[in-house]
Amino acid sequence: MDEGSKGYIERDFLEQPFGSVVKPYSKMHSRDTWKDLLELQQQNKTSALDVMKSAGFRSWDQRNTNFCWSFGVCAPVAVAMARAGCDPIPHLSASYVAGRVKGWRNVGGWGMQAVEGLLKWGCPTTDVFPEASRNRSLADTPEVKASAALHSIVKFEEIESNNFDACISALLDPINPACGVSTAFNYWRHLVFACQPCWHRTKGWGFVIQNSWGAKYGDQGRKELYGSKAIAHEMIVVRSAKVKAEG
């Protein structure tokens, strides 16, 4: 594994098999129901993107780090916390999680490594651990550790590699829609998160992604992906998060 590569490192499913860290996603919705489910979701404004807009989510920026694989996991966790009633939506420090996992080296990784790190160490907010920081000394302060502990109870599920239909199903679920699906692409060597399905009369089905390159990318950090560009090597569903009280 070339950890020095930029951004996303292709996950080795022999080293870390599918379903070995969190349980697999299993609730599928057939394609003939997708348009009706999308219309229902748009009417009720229940997608992850609707939550983001309502909560005032602002695009995160990984800057000069190689930590997309952590940003694209931690950002939908913040969406899950907003859905659970956390106000304002927390701006979590994905670089803290990546730094813990990689020994504070600025190197690439894959999504499930960020999941493991978040479940082990939690994730502080950027007011105590800045967004793109790799400050090992700051990470061990009581304020940072206390903040990280508030954002550590998260429910994840995993989608099999290249299973586009499962990704759309998770995003469209009418009872418990995903708070985002972390989606990693080998062709892009990058991990983002899908926050809403979309349909185009010529392009077919796809999804809206939220990137971690700041608000100047696309529309407030978002773009639509369709066709083969929307087939992800690694997919992680952020299902829910528990909001802990301070003190």
Side-chain angles (χ1 to χ4, degrees):
M1 180 176 67
D2 180 12
E3 286 192 327
S5 299
K6 179 72 174 178
Y8 181 71
I9 304 300
E10 180 177 345
R11 176 174 165 187
D12 184 344
F13 285 99
L14 293 178
E15 178 182 335
Q16 190 181 58
F18 172 75
S20 62
V21 179
V22 299
K23 73 176 186 178
Y25 175 81
S26 60
K27 190 173 183 180
M28 297 292 293
H29 298 283
S30 61
R31 283 189 173 231
D32 59 2
T33 67
W34 286 6
K35 285 187 178 180
D36 288 339
L37 290 175
L38 180 60
E39 182 178 352
L40 180 65
Q41 186 175 81
Q42 290 171 338
Q43 289 175 350
N44 295 333
K45 298 186 181 302
T46 54
S47 73
L49 181 54
D50 289 315
V51 176
M52 292 160 63
K53 289 181 176 180
S54 177
F57 180 93
R58 295 184 179 181
S59 182
W60 295 6
D61 192 348
Q62 68 184 79
R63 297 174 192 160
N64 63 346
T65 72
N66 296 320
F67 295 158
C68 66
W69 51 278
S70 182
F71 275 75
V73 170
C74 293
V77 170
V79 177
M81 291 181 173
R83 181 171 276 166
C86 188
D87 184 21
I89 185 171
H91 191 158
L92 302 178
S93 183
S95 62
Y96 171 89
V97 175
R100 287 286 191 192
V101 172
K102 297 296 182 178
W104 304 105
R105 295 171 297 149
N106 186 17
V107 296
W110 62 69
M112 197 55 72
Q113 291 179 322
V115 169
E116 290 183 304
L118 196 149
L119 293 176
K120 182 176 181 179
W121 291 293
C123 188
T125 50
T126 57
D127 60 324
V128 294
F129 196 89
E131 185 167 55
S133 175
R134 292 189 294 120
N135 188 330
R136 182 194 301 260
S137 298
L138 180 61
D140 290 327
T141 61
E143 293 81 7
V144 170
K145 288 187 174 182
S147 179
L150 297 176
H151 316 104
S152 61
I153 301 178
V154 186
K155 181 179 180 182
F156 297 96
E157 294 170 343
E158 182 173 12
I159 292 173
E160 283 188 288
S161 183
N162 302 322
N163 192 338
F164 174 80
D165 284 26
C167 180
I168 297 296
S169 292
L171 291 168
L172 277 177
D173 190 82
I175 305 300
N176 187 21
C179 298
V181 178
S182 303
T183 48
F185 304 95
N186 289 340
Y187 71 85
W188 199 0
R189 300 187 77 174
H190 193 48
L191 187 149
V192 294
F193 80 94
C195 53
Q196 186 180 65
C198 51
W199 183 83
H200 189 278
R201 63 183 182 87
T202 59
K203 298 177 182 179
W205 284 96
F207 44 70
V208 179
I209 60 154
Q210 179 71 51
N211 207 339
S212 56
W213 291 346
K216 292 183 178 179
Y217 174 86
D219 177 14
Q220 297 299 309
R222 296 184 291 271
K223 279 190 176 181
E224 296 176 354
L225 295 183
Y226 294 94
S228 61
K229 297 294 186 183
I231 305 300
H233 175 71
E234 183 183 25
M235 289 172 281
I236 300 163
V237 182
V238 178
R239 176 61 64 203
S240 63
K242 184 176 181 181
V243 178
K244 290 185 178 181
E246 296 188 36

